[in-house]
Amino acid sequence: MKTVAFNTLGCKLNFSETSTIANLFLDNNYSRVAFNNKADIYIINTCSVTANADRKCRQIIRKAVKNNANAIVVVIGCYAQLKPKEISEIKGVNVVLGANEKFNILKYIKDLDNKQAPKVISCDVNDVDNFFPAFSFGDRTRSFLKVQDGCDYECTYCTIPLARGKSRNDTVENTVNQAKKIAEKEVKEIILTGVNIGDFGQSTGESFTSLVKELDKVEGIERYRISSIEPNLITDEIINIVSSSKRFVPHFHIPLQSGTDTLLAIMKRRYNTELYKNKIETINKLIPEASIGVDVIIGFPGETDEDFNTTYNFLNSLDISYLHVFTYSDRENTLSNNMDNKVNPKVKDERSKMLHILSDKLQRRFYEKNLGQEKEVLFETQKKNGKMFGFTDNYVKVELDFDKNLVNNITKVQLLSINEDGNVNAIIVS
Ligand code: SF4
């Protein structure tokens, strides 16, 4: 039996797709081995969100070739769609597949000899129109369910539409059937993932709201988590559904990117700070216990000290729970790539440090608000220094002495204190 190994970089969507492709191989008499082991075939699912991501992908590709020089090395994902030729020139690469072909790997590696010239099967991103359903299973306690792919927005710093194509999705009915398949595998929590999931429905004339309503009825799934949703797409109706739902957890992740309307306009984002603030306040009013995570980019071309201070003060004025801080990096074929007034790397570092400190402060404030409360936690498989970890519905990370009987079980605990790792110590309450 031939062996296959996988390595995935980037987002939850990539992990859901790798997991589905891996199951295709297992269904076709391959056995899966760890990436650091010797394998007959290596599949690398790439990310290209920053220049650093490209660099990491090239390192991983070279690692695979070093692991077994006679192996078949296949590269898929966003980097493969954006720069297929560049990847095909890396010594040892045999197949590079674009966004429309990545699920057909088995067909392209059949009878392939690794001495042959690299095969590149890709197409113009405007012709990328397939929606391949996918969900992750087997490598994590929680499952990433792909509900949407691609994006129709034109944010000036972003390459994702160039890598994944137009916004598209499967029908509500088929997506619900995917959730039912996951429920049959005794997975307790599904994380809805995609590129711009609030835009679900573009290719079927349906809506994200209708999807949420139907998923909420699926027996067996105890929790749904919305991975990330654009501010202009999180409607009051969705917030209301989450506030009364037994399954959709009180946790929102809403990209902001900048706290100044000037930069939001140059970024071609589809909202301003007023709209953003209103969404946060609506969530806080309807779901006071909700966790709210915020994406923010520092160092966008033209960002002055004053702009940064405005962003900092805006974030500090909101009742939010944590930040994901991204340092701007030029991406080819994006509008911002050609913009002047690039921010000095040292200044970017300083601003990034300041926002990471702010994020720690916000998270600590949010965790302190939850101490003393009884909360349900879904404990995961990970074991570190005799401890196990899990999240409450509102995304508080809880730590407990490892007990294998608690893995993949939703357990009621009382939240006690914040430890030096920033996690919350707890005791089980029956
Ligand atoms: S919404 Fe903007 S940032 Fe997000 S994937 Fe689409 S183009 Fe990129």
Side-chain angles (χ1 to χ4, degrees):
M1 190 186 275
K2 282 198 168 173
T3 56
V4 59
F6 296 85
N7 195 302
T8 305
L9 297 105
C11 63
K12 296 181 177 77
L13 183 53
N14 260 11
F15 281 93
S16 72
E17 294 178 335
T18 299
S19 190
T20 298
I21 291 168
N23 289 325
L24 284 176
F25 274 82
L26 297 179
D27 295 346
N28 285 274
N29 292 326
Y30 286 81
S31 73
R32 184 173 181 173
V33 296
F35 188 78
N36 292 335
N37 294 6
K38 194 173 180 182
D40 300 308
I41 298 159
Y42 291 96
I43 316 276
I44 295 130
N45 194 354
T46 61
C47 168
S48 191
V49 77
T50 61
N52 197 31
D54 289 359
R55 220 182 342 270
K56 278 196 191 136
C57 295
R58 291 192 293 274
Q59 284 167 359
I60 298 284
I61 293 167
R62 293 195 180 98
K63 176 111 181 32
V65 176
K66 199 156 159 249
N67 285 356
N68 179 5
N70 298 319
I72 300 290
V73 175
V74 182
V75 182
I76 61 174
C78 294
Y79 187 23
Q81 174 65 37
L82 288 168
K83 299 191 178 151
K85 187 169 175 305
E86 182 175 299
I87 294 172
S88 70
E89 287 162 359
I90 299 174
K91 191 167 175 305
V93 168
N94 302 100
V95 184
V96 182
L97 298 178
N100 249 357
E101 296 300 332
K102 59 185 161 192
F103 284 82
N104 301 326
I105 298 180
L106 284 164
K107 181 174 81 179
Y108 292 109
I109 61 170
K110 201 163 174 302
D111 310 324
L112 194 64
D113 165 357
N114 89 323
K115 303 286 177 290
Q116 287 168 253
K119 274 188 186 175
V120 174
I121 301 104
S122 186
C123 68
D124 183 297
V125 76
N126 296 316
D127 301 330
V128 172
D129 52 9
N130 292 342
F131 180 85
F132 297 100
F135 62 79
S136 67
F137 178 69
D139 27 26
R140 288 156 200 269
T141 308
R142 304 182 292 160
S143 175
F144 300 142
L145 172 58
K146 173 183 175 178
V147 298
Q148 183 271 350
D149 199 350
C151 188
D152 296 343
Y153 288 19
E154 295 146 348
C155 303
T156 51
Y157 52 84
C158 183
T159 51
I160 300 173
L162 305 171
R164 283 189 169 269
K166 285 278 170 242
S167 182
R168 55 201 189 281
N169 52 277
D170 205 339
T171 61
V172 167
E173 186 187 353
N174 289 348
T175 310
V176 165
N177 288 337
Q178 292 276 94
K180 287 179 179 166
K181 276 190 201 153
I182 298 172
E184 284 159 15
K185 298 176 182 297
E186 297 187 358
V187 167
K188 303 272 178 11
E189 179 171 320
I190 285 179
I191 300 166
L192 305 185
T193 188
V195 173
N196 190 350
I197 67 174
D199 211 30
F200 176 96
Q202 281 304 314
S203 54
T204 54
E206 298 167 303
S207 73
F208 186 62
T209 307
S210 59
L211 175 66
V212 167
K213 283 181 181 164
E214 292 310 312
L215 285 174
D216 209 14
K217 300 172 187 162
V218 175
E219 292 300 327
I221 298 297
E222 302 200 24
R223 290 177 168 185
Y224 290 101
R225 202 173 292 274
I226 299 172
S227 61
S228 178
I229 186 166
E230 293 293 311
N232 50 301
L233 295 174
I234 185 168
T235 61
D236 290 1
E237 189 180 6
I238 290 169
I239 298 171
N240 273 307
I241 292 170
V242 172
S243 72
S244 57
S245 166
K246 286 197 182 45
R247 295 195 169 95
F248 276 81
V249 295
H251 175 203
F252 298 91
H253 195 93
I254 311 171
L256 170 70
Q257 309 308 22
S258 174
T260 75
D261 290 340
T262 320
L263 285 180
L264 287 177
I266 299 170
M267 289 174 168
K268 285 200 177 174
R269 300 291 285 159
R270 298 187 179 193
Y271 54 89
N272 59 20
T273 51
E274 185 60 31
L275 178 147
Y276 195 91
K277 186 164 166 284
N278 292 342
K279 293 291 174 186
I280 302 298
E281 287 170 355
T282 303
I283 294 170
N284 287 326
K285 199 173 76 212
L286 294 175
I287 320 174
E289 77 278 15
S291 170
I292 304 174
V294 176
D295 289 342
V296 59
I297 295 174
I298 55 98
F300 186 80
E303 183 187 67
T304 62
D305 285 346
E306 194 196 340
D307 291 330
F308 175 70
N309 293 336
T310 304
T311 295
Y312 187 99
N313 295 334
F314 181 71
L315 290 164
N316 206 19
S317 73
L318 298 172
D319 188 0
I320 54 180
S321 319
Y322 63 91
L323 307 175
H324 283 176
V325 182
F326 299 90
T327 298
Y328 171 83
S329 83
D330 279 330
R331 307 305 294 138
E332 270 173 49
N333 304 318
T334 60
L335 289 178
S336 63
N337 189 35
N338 309 320
M339 290 178 187
D340 299 331
N341 304 322
K342 296 291 165 65
V343 178
N344 175 300
K346 276 210 179 65
V347 174
K348 285 190 207 177
D349 285 353
E350 282 157 25
R351 291 175 184 171
S352 174
K353 278 199 199 97
M354 284 180 68
L355 288 191
H356 279 98
I357 293 167
L358 176 61
S359 182
D360 292 346
K361 191 189 93 181
L362 293 170
Q363 188 177 62
R364 192 171 189 87
R365 182 180 70 184
F366 179 71
Y367 278 13
E368 278 165 357
K369 226 167 57 175
N370 284 274
L371 295 184
Q373 295 185 29
E374 292 189 358
K375 283 278 180 189
E376 293 191 330
V377 175
L378 173 57
F379 284 103
E380 305 190 10
T381 45
Q382 188 205 6
K383 182 179 181 179
K384 196 173 147 212
N385 307 330
K387 298 287 183 182
M388 66 189 314
F389 308 88
F391 289 94
T392 63
D393 56 353
N394 63 346
Y395 213 51
V396 172
K397 188 171 182 182
V398 175
E399 189 175 309
L400 211 62
D401 291 340
F402 188 85
D403 176 348
K404 68 178 178 1
N405 302 315
L406 295 180
V407 170
N408 196 30
N409 277 315
I410 294 187
T411 306
K412 189 177 267 187
V413 302
Q414 184 180 23
L415 307 179
L416 299 178
S417 60
I418 303 170
N419 61 32
E420 65 280 355
D421 297 330
N423 303 326
V424 170
N425 295 330
I427 46 163
I428 294 174
V429 291
S430 45

